[in-house]
Coordinates of all heavy atoms in Angstrom, one line a residue:
Chain A
Q388 N 53.4 23.7 209.5 CA 53.2 23.3 208.0 C 54.0 22.0 207.7 O 53.6 21.3 206.8 CB 53.7 24.5 207.1 CG 52.8 25.7 207.2 CD 53.3 26.7 208.1 OE1 53.8 26.5 209.2 NE2 53.2 28.0 207.7
Q391 N 53.3 18.9 210.7 CA 51.9 18.3 210.8 C 51.6 17.6 209.5 O 50.5 17.1 209.3 CB 50.9 19.4 211.1 CG 50.7 19.6 212.6 CD 49.5 20.5 212.8 OE1 49.4 21.5 212.2 NE2 48.6 20.0 213.7
S398 N 43.5 15.5 205.0 CA 42.3 16.4 205.2 C 42.5 17.7 204.4 O 41.5 18.1 203.8 CB 42.3 16.7 206.7 OG 41.7 18.0 207.0
Q399 N 43.8 18.2 204.4 CA 44.0 19.5 203.6 C 43.7 19.3 202.2 O 43.0 20.1 201.6 CB 45.5 19.9 203.7 CG 45.9 20.2 205.2 CD 46.1 21.7 205.3 OE1 45.1 22.5 205.3 NE2 47.3 22.2 205.3
W402 N 39.9 18.6 201.5 CA 39.0 19.8 201.6 C 39.3 20.9 200.6 O 38.4 21.6 200.1 CB 39.0 20.4 203.0 CG 38.3 19.5 204.0 CD1 38.7 18.7 204.9 CD2 36.8 19.4 204.0 NE1 37.7 18.0 205.6 CE2 36.6 18.5 205.0 CE3 35.7 20.0 203.3 CZ2 35.2 18.0 205.3 CZ3 34.5 19.6 203.7 CH2 34.2 18.7 204.6
L410 N 34.4 25.9 193.8 CA 34.7 27.2 193.3 C 34.8 27.2 191.8 O 34.2 28.0 191.1 CB 36.0 27.7 194.0 CG 36.5 29.0 193.5 CD1 35.6 30.1 193.9 CD2 37.9 29.3 194.0
V419 N 31.3 33.1 186.0 CA 32.3 33.9 185.4 C 31.9 34.1 183.9 O 31.8 35.2 183.3 CB 33.7 33.4 185.5 CG1 34.7 34.0 184.5 CG2 34.2 33.6 186.9
K421 N 29.0 34.0 182.5 CA 27.8 34.9 182.4 C 28.2 36.3 182.6 O 27.7 37.3 181.8 CB 26.8 34.5 183.5 CG 26.1 33.3 183.2 CD 25.0 32.9 184.2 CE 24.4 31.5 183.9 NZ 23.8 31.0 185.1
S424 N 30.0 37.4 179.6 CA 29.1 37.6 178.5 C 28.3 38.9 178.6 O 28.0 39.6 177.6 CB 28.2 36.4 178.3 OG 27.1 36.5 179.3
T425 N 28.0 39.2 179.9 CA 27.4 40.5 180.2 C 28.2 41.7 179.7 O 27.7 42.6 179.1 CB 27.0 40.7 181.7 OG1 26.4 39.5 182.1 CG2 26.2 41.9 182.0
R429 N 27.5 44.2 176.6 CA 27.5 45.6 176.8 C 28.4 46.3 175.8 O 28.0 47.3 175.2 CB 28.0 46.0 178.3 CG 27.9 47.5 178.5 CD 28.4 47.8 179.9 NE 27.7 47.1 180.9 CZ 28.3 46.4 181.8 NH1 29.7 46.4 181.8 NH2 27.7 45.7 182.6
R432 N 26.8 46.2 172.5 CA 25.7 47.2 172.5 C 26.3 48.6 172.3 O 25.8 49.4 171.4 CB 25.0 47.0 173.8 CG 23.9 48.1 173.9 CD 22.5 47.5 173.9 NE 21.5 48.6 173.9 CZ 20.6 48.6 174.8 NH1 20.5 47.6 175.7 NH2 19.8 49.6 174.9
Chain B
I227 N 47.1 23.2 212.7 CA 45.9 22.6 212.3 C 45.2 21.8 213.3 O 45.8 20.8 213.8 CB 46.1 21.8 210.9 CG1 46.6 22.8 209.9 CG2 44.8 21.1 210.5 CD1 47.0 22.0 208.6
D241 N 42.7 10.6 207.4 CA 42.0 11.4 208.3 C 41.5 12.7 207.5 O 42.2 13.5 207.2 CB 43.0 11.9 209.4 CG 42.4 12.8 210.5 OD1 41.2 13.0 210.4 OD2 43.1 13.2 211.3
L242 N 40.2 12.7 207.3 CA 39.6 13.8 206.6 C 38.8 14.8 207.5 O 37.7 15.3 207.1 CB 38.6 13.3 205.5 CG 39.2 12.2 204.5 CD1 38.1 11.8 203.5 CD2 40.4 12.8 203.8
S243 N 39.3 15.0 208.6 CA 38.7 15.8 209.7 C 38.4 17.2 209.1 O 39.2 17.7 208.3 CB 39.6 16.0 210.9 OG 39.9 14.7 211.3
S247 N 41.7 24.7 209.0 CA 42.0 24.9 207.6 C 40.9 24.7 206.7 O 40.5 25.6 205.8 CB 43.2 24.0 207.3 OG 43.4 24.1 205.9
L258 N 33.7 34.5 198.5 CA 33.9 34.6 197.1 C 32.6 34.4 196.4 O 32.3 35.2 195.4 CB 35.0 33.6 196.6 CG 35.4 33.7 195.2 CD1 35.7 35.2 194.8 CD2 36.6 32.9 194.9
R268 N 23.7 41.4 186.1 CA 23.8 41.4 184.7 C 23.1 42.6 184.1 O 22.3 42.5 183.2 CB 23.2 40.2 184.1 CG 23.8 38.9 184.8 CD 23.5 37.7 184.0 NE 24.2 37.7 182.8 CZ 24.1 36.7 181.9 NH1 23.3 35.7 182.1 NH2 24.8 36.8 180.8
E269 N 23.2 43.8 184.8 CA 22.5 45.0 184.3 C 23.4 45.6 183.2 O 24.6 45.4 183.1 CB 22.3 45.9 185.5 CG 21.1 45.6 186.3 CD 21.1 46.4 187.6 OE1 22.0 47.3 187.7 OE2 20.3 46.1 188.5
L270 N 22.7 46.3 182.3 CA 23.3 47.0 181.2 C 24.3 48.1 181.8 O 25.4 48.2 181.3 CB 22.4 47.6 180.3 CG 23.0 48.2 179.0 CD1 23.7 47.1 178.2 CD2 22.0 48.9 178.2
E280 N 33.0 42.7 187.6 CA 33.4 42.8 186.2 C 34.8 43.3 186.1 O 35.5 42.7 185.1 CB 32.4 43.7 185.4 CG 31.0 43.1 185.2 CD 30.0 44.0 184.6 OE1 30.4 45.1 184.3 OE2 28.9 43.5 184.3
F306 N 40.8 32.5 186.9 CA 39.9 33.4 187.7 C 39.7 32.7 189.1 O 39.9 33.3 190.1 CB 38.6 33.7 187.1 CG 37.7 34.6 187.8 CD1 38.0 36.0 187.8 CD2 36.7 34.2 188.6 CE1 37.2 36.8 188.5 CE2 36.0 35.0 189.4 CZ 36.2 36.4 189.3
S336 N 49.2 29.8 203.7 CA 50.4 29.8 204.4 C 50.7 28.3 204.7 O 51.7 28.0 205.4 CB 50.4 30.5 205.8 OG 49.5 29.8 206.6

Side-chain angles (χ1 to χ4, degrees):
Chain A
Q388 289 100 318
Q391 275 193 311
S398 155
Q399 292 254 72
W402 287 105
L410 174 70
V419 169
K421 285 181 188 161
S424 77
T425 308
R429 180 183 310 127
R432 171 111 185 237
Chain B
I227 295 174
D241 185 359
L242 303 184
S243 308
S247 169
L258 185 48
R268 311 192 68 183
E269 282 166 8
L270 185 63
E280 284 173 2
F306 182 81
S336 67

